[in-house]
Amino acid sequence: EAADFLWSAIEEYVPNARDRAVPGTVQIATPLTHERFLRRTNGAYGPRVEAGKQTLPGHKTPLEGLMLCGDYTFPGIGVPATAAAGAITANNLVSVPQHWAMLNKIRLPEK
């Protein structure tokens, strides 16, 4: 029942989306599923902070060499924000020029 509702919403933008999905890759979950399998308190993502009153935790910890990143750290929840948290953490480990130098060593295959 929940799946039909979600598929209908998706199919407003992607015609026949459920017929085009790769078999075995579609799973519908609820916050309770997230709590059970992902160990998310109440199935939630990211901490609750009140704008202007609190800030998200940073990436550094009191333990030398241990840093945090993800949706529980600045800049917050969502794929772009979580990716940015990873980039911020990486740039705390090595400088931006060092990071670029490492990326320049990676060669993508020719088309």
Side-chain angles (χ1 to χ4, degrees):
E1 193 173 300
D4 286 332
F5 174 79
L6 295 172
W7 279 119
S8 295
I10 293 168
E11 287 177 333
E12 287 183 28
Y13 300 94
V14 182
N16 303 316
R18 66 183 98 194
D19 297 331
R20 296 161 61 180
V22 176
T25 62
V26 176
Q27 296 180 346
I28 303 298
T30 69
L32 294 175
T33 312
H34 295 167
E35 181 175 39
R36 179 174 179 194
F37 293 102
L38 304 176
R39 297 181 185 219
R40 294 296 193 146
T41 304
N42 297 322
Y45 284 85
R48 181 181 180 273
V49 295
E50 292 183 46
K53 295 183 180 180
Q54 298 170 297
T55 60
L56 291 166
H59 306 280
K60 295 183 179 181
T61 70
L63 300 174
E64 186 178 341
L66 177 64
M67 300 191 76
L68 305 174
C69 70
D71 62 353
Y72 270 81
T73 62
F74 177 82
I77 62 173
V79 173
T82 302
I88 291 167
T89 303
N91 289 330
N92 277 296
L93 297 171
V94 296
S95 70
V96 174
Q98 289 172 310
H99 194 162
W100 278 109
M102 286 186 246
L103 289 173
N104 285 335
K105 290 180 181 179
I106 299 171
R107 296 283 179 231
L108 295 175
E110 297 291 325
K111 289 185 177 183

